[in-house]
Amino acid sequence: MLIDEKDESKTEKKSQSAKEIAEIMVENMKANMANPNFWAEKEERLRKARDEVLKKRKERQKTEE
């Protein structure tokens, strides 16, 4: 196998996976738009993640003192 052939197969795999990722993203966007509570649920997930990070930060600061 020549070097050019290897490069082409890598490029082909990358473009194929990019296409698959794009298709998955479109399906995800469609599902999100179909969910009327999408924004509220997203905000709730972000709030929970933020609260967890802040909680761990406080615990870490207490142990460092």
Side-chain angles (χ1 to χ4, degrees), residues 16-29:
Q16 182 180 3
S17 64
K19 182 180 177 184
E20 291 170 358
I21 291 169
E23 290 172 357
I24 292 168
M25 290 175 66
V26 167
E27 291 300 317
N28 191 26
M29 289 171 59

Side-chain angles (χ1 to χ4, degrees), residues 12-13 20 28 40 51 54-56 60 63-65:
E12 185 177 310
K13 287 179 184 177
E20 291 170 358
N28 191 26
D51 290 348
L54 293 174
K55 179 181 172 185
K56 288 181 180 182
R60 188 172 52 244
T63 59
E64 288 176 356
E65 292 177 348

Side-chain angles (χ1 to χ4, degrees), residues 26-39:
V26 167
E27 291 300 317
N28 191 26
M29 289 171 59
K30 286 179 183 178
N32 290 341
M33 289 189 298
N35 181 0
N37 298 324
F38 171 72
W39 291 111

Side-chain angles (χ1 to χ4, degrees), residues 4-15:
D4 291 338
E5 290 175 2
K6 288 181 181 178
D7 290 341
E8 286 178 21
S9 66
K10 286 182 182 180
T11 304
E12 185 177 310
K13 287 179 184 177
K14 287 181 183 178
S15 65

